[in-house]
Amino acid sequence: AGEDAAERACLAALDIMDLAGKPADYDGLAVGVGIATGMVIQGMVGSSLRADFTVIGDPVNIAARLCAAAKAGLTVICDCSYDALPDKGRFAFKGPFKATLKGKAEAQRVYLLLPRSAQPGGAQ
């Protein structure tokens, strides 16, 4: 949430990739990240017998699809998040590329967030 959500999401993705970047350290676990920011609804869903705290909305679905499409070690960011970055020069990206996502009639424009080693100034 907030105007800097896309920037914070990119920084978090870089941190995740730093931690999970060596699959041997985690019994072969390989991680890909998908980022989509935007308006969502958050709250409790369910009944008095079983309830979950969750978020719902198109950005949640897009992020899940991008995460599924991201190969190990890659971070895929949707154009809505890319466009929301106030200082695109703070990060290094590759793209744009087209991605076909389940539930979307048209191909989506996406970018790859490059690893921290390729970021200007290490993107701290």
Side-chain angles (χ1 to χ4, degrees):
E3 292 180 16
D4 63 343
E7 182 176 10
R8 288 183 292 115
C10 288
L11 289 170
L14 291 172
D15 288 343
I16 290 167
M17 288 306 182
D18 285 349
L19 291 171
K22 300 178 183 95
D25 293 345
Y26 298 98
D27 291 330
L29 174 69
V31 176
V33 175
I35 297 175
T37 54
M39 295 296 291
V40 298
I41 298 170
Q42 70 177 14
M44 298 299 287
V45 175
S47 68
S48 60
L49 298 176
R50 176 179 165 128
D52 290 315
F53 186 80
T54 190
V55 290
I56 57 174
D58 199 42
V60 177
N61 297 332
I62 292 172
R65 303 292 190 256
L66 293 176
C67 190
K71 295 183 190 230
L74 294 181
T75 298
V76 183
I77 177 172
C78 73
D79 65 341
C80 61
S81 297
Y82 178 83
D83 292 342
L85 289 168
D87 180 9
K88 290 174 187 53
R90 180 172 184 193
F91 298 100
F93 294 95
K94 197 172 188 182
F97 301 100
K98 296 275 185 177
T100 303
L101 304 178
K102 182 179 174 185
K104 293 291 182 184
E106 296 181 19
Q108 304 295 299
R109 189 175 57 157
V110 299
Y111 297 83
L112 294 179
L113 176 64
L114 298 179
R116 194 177 305 273
S117 61
Q119 297 298 321
Q124 299 294 326

